[in-house]
Amino acid sequence: MKKFFDTNEILNNCDDLSNVVLSSKTIEELENIKTSANKDDDIKYKARMAVRAINEFQTEVVVATQSDIDIIKDVFNLEVTNDNIIIACAYRYNKDIEPICFYTEDYLCKLIAKDIFNLQVESYGEKPTSLNYIGYKIVSPTDEELAKVYDKDNKDNLFKCEVNEYVLMKGEDGDCIDVLKWSGQRYSALYNKPFKSRQYGNIKPLDSQQKMAFDSIASNDLTILFGRSGSGKTTIPLSYITQQLENGKCSKCYIVYSFDTLKGQKTLGYVKGDQTEKLLSTGSLGGILATKFGDMTEVERLLASGQIEIIPTANLRGQEFSSDSICFCTEAQNLDRYALRTLLQRCKSGCKIILEGDIIEQCDTARGVGLFKALDVYKGYRRFGCVKLKNNYRDEIGELADKI
């Protein structure tokens, strides 16, 4: 089934237009965005990329006609707007040529297309309620499978894992027997050392999922950690980063941060100070770093020494993260595909990248979740690892709060 894209959809999702249809009204809107003096640079850049992709893929375009306007006014008794013309084009294509699925990230467009024009509607920006890939599988192997797994000469992918996917093996009593990783050639043991630093001391994994997280961070160039609050998705990366900084194995950690306040809540308004002071005193970043590093004084010391640098996602363009650095993005659930793609493209070969967030419960933006797309793109890649962390190690009160 072909996909009929609304303008806002192609602005955010123009990577592959091989099966996409557009309205001529969308082409007009893209051209207007490119030349508008009232649009910011980011949206104009997206429009240029979308036009380039349309040319590259030779995307099919449906020309809006008077009949589309007549349907809007006379059949459905709606106002003739650009959005409604795009929907009417999709309606005509679906009715007269072949079935399509209409894609939009605009809530009102979605309602009109679905409830009035009776189209099938989806959105890449919608947040799934479950994850198909969590970085590991839980299995109960037979004695024969266990023997094969530990046979160094055996190269069978018994549990059909992706490269760098973990397998948590349980016995008949439900207890964990072992955790291994499929390398693409065999099942191998995990990294088995604590992260050591003066700041954190010896940090050891508290459960099987954390053991996988330690291994992925130590072994891979790109790691995604996601899970509930209190699962260690921030502490584990920062303990590793502190170890590497103290040992001189990396020159700097770039902390990339998307400034989004708690969903539905207001900010305090104007805050004095330079950009860094404002970042630390508003939103959640200051609290996150002060908690993890002990206090704000230690955070300020690390900033002054140049060991860490805070990069707002709004300033990503023009940045370059060196090959001997670590790029750590906290609250990464708030990155859309465009922001995440920009971040990853700024990292030189050898730069270690760690993304953490709660992509189920704590997404504070409706722009769409880039991490979901990243999981689809990178799973099975030899330099990538992913772990869904499970347990809350803060307090029972916080654990029960998940049920609110």
Side-chain angles (χ1 to χ4, degrees):
M1 180 181 290
K2 288 189 175 181
K3 303 171 184 177
F4 202 108
F5 274 15
D6 187 12
T7 305
N8 57 49
E9 197 68 63
I10 195 171
L11 283 169
N12 293 307
N13 300 291
C14 62
D15 298 335
D16 183 1
L17 303 184
S18 56
N19 196 39
V20 170
V21 183
L22 299 173
S23 165
S24 60
K25 186 59 66 175
T26 287
I27 304 297
E28 289 179 26
E29 290 188 333
L30 291 174
E31 289 297 330
N32 289 336
I33 291 171
K34 282 171 53 183
T35 58
S36 174
N38 299 320
K39 301 292 185 181
D40 62 36
D41 289 341
D42 282 348
I43 192 69
K44 291 167 80 170
Y45 175 79
K46 288 184 179 183
R48 291 196 300 272
M49 293 302 99
V51 171
R52 183 180 300 175
I54 291 168
N55 292 331
E56 177 185 346
F57 287 95
Q58 295 295 298
T59 306
E60 183 178 358
V61 176
V62 178
V63 177
T65 65
Q66 183 61 45
S67 66
D68 298 320
I69 295 174
D70 293 340
I71 288 173
I72 293 169
K73 292 193 303 183
D74 302 335
V75 177
F76 295 109
N77 196 27
L78 295 171
E79 185 181 353
V80 179
T81 64
N82 285 357
D83 286 344
N84 286 342
I85 291 173
I86 292 170
I87 297 171
C89 287
Y91 173 81
R92 174 162 54 89
Y93 193 96
N94 183 75
K95 178 174 175 288
D96 298 340
I97 302 176
E98 64 176 287
I100 54 93
C101 180
F102 186 72
Y103 279 76
T104 180
E105 295 182 21
D106 184 289
Y107 182 68
L108 184 58
C109 275
K110 184 188 304 181
L111 289 180
I112 293 173
K114 182 178 179 181
D115 296 341
I116 297 179
F117 285 82
N118 200 30
L119 293 173
Q120 180 179 336
V121 180
E122 290 187 21
S123 171
Y124 285 122
E126 290 182 336
K127 186 170 56 174
T129 56
S130 64
L131 289 166
N132 294 323
Y133 187 72
I134 60 174
Y136 60 90
K137 292 180 178 179
I138 300 175
V139 301
S140 298
T142 64
D143 291 341
E144 182 181 357
E145 287 173 330
L146 275 177
K148 287 184 177 180
V149 162
Y150 291 115
D151 182 353
K152 293 182 179 180
D153 296 324
N154 178 64
K155 295 186 177 181
D156 291 340
N157 187 356
L158 297 173
F159 307 114
K160 309 301 181 186
C161 291
E162 301 281 355
V163 173
N164 286 341
E165 187 173 13
Y166 300 95
V167 57
L168 194 162
M169 299 186 294
K170 290 190 173 184
E172 293 181 357
D173 57 2
D175 290 339
C176 177
I177 300 172
D178 202 355
V179 181
L180 301 174
K181 176 172 63 177
W182 175 249
S183 68
Q185 298 293 324
R186 61 184 302 273
Y187 287 96
S188 57
L190 275 56
Y191 176 91
N192 194 29
K193 295 179 181 179
F195 295 154
K196 299 180 181 180
S197 64
R198 292 188 300 274
Q199 178 69 37
Y200 278 92
N202 281 14
I203 300 295
K204 298 179 180 180
L206 300 177
D207 56 35
S208 297
Q209 284 79 11
Q210 287 198 2
K211 188 176 181 180
M212 300 173 204
F214 272 61
D215 178 84
S216 183
I217 289 173
S219 306
N220 295 313
D221 290 339
L222 171 60
T223 293
I224 293 178
L225 301 180
F226 61 96
R228 65 209 308 202
S229 176
S231 61
K233 62 184 182 292
T234 309
T235 299
I236 293 171
L238 286 177
S239 63
Y240 173 81
I241 290 165
T242 305
Q243 170 187 275
Q244 299 303 98
L245 288 171
E246 289 184 2
N247 292 343
K249 293 183 178 178
C250 82
S251 62
K252 175 180 283 192
C253 173
Y254 297 94
I255 299 177
V256 177
Y257 179 68
S258 173
F259 183 81
D260 282 281
T261 56
L262 186 65
K263 183 166 55 180
Q265 307 306 307
K266 296 180 178 180
T267 66
L268 295 175
Y270 175 75
V271 177
K272 292 183 178 180
D274 59 22
Q275 175 176 276
T276 300
E277 290 173 324
K278 291 178 179 180
L279 282 171
L280 293 176
S281 60
T282 58
S284 59
L285 181 61
I288 290 171
L289 296 181
T291 300
K292 302 306 179 184
F293 285 116
D295 55 34
M296 191 60 73
T297 301
E298 178 63 15
V299 176
E300 291 171 351
R301 184 191 71 78
L302 291 168
L303 285 167
S305 69
Q307 290 181 284
I308 66 173
E309 182 178 346
I310 297 172
I311 308 291
T313 51
N315 297 351
L316 273 174
R317 195 180 299 161
Q319 297 288 338
E320 183 176 88
F321 304 136
S322 60
S323 57
D324 61 346
S325 67
I326 298 174
C327 176
F328 174 53
C329 182
T330 183
E331 304 283 325
Q333 74 272 2
N334 289 327
L335 298 188
D336 61 17
R337 296 172 66 184
Y338 171 71
L340 182 54
R341 181 167 61 245
T342 304
L343 183 157
L344 295 171
Q345 290 171 343
R346 297 301 182 265
C347 298
K348 296 186 71 174
S349 177
C351 174
K352 189 177 286 285
I353 308 160
I354 307 170
L355 311 173
E356 70 85 4
D358 185 346
I359 47 182
I360 297 297
E361 295 295 337
Q362 293 186 13
C363 183
D364 297 331
T365 174
R367 293 174 301 182
V369 183
L371 286 186
F372 281 111
K373 183 62 177 178
L375 290 174
D376 287 338
V377 169
Y378 285 103
K379 68 179 179 182
Y381 175 51
R382 60 183 176 81
R383 294 160 57 192
F384 169 73
C386 157
V387 181
K388 179 183 179 182
L389 296 167
K390 181 180 178 182
N391 297 313
N392 181 340
Y393 287 101
R394 285 181 182 164
D395 188 80
E396 288 181 358
I397 291 177
E399 188 167 356
L400 288 170
D402 290 340
K403 300 179 180 180
I404 295 177

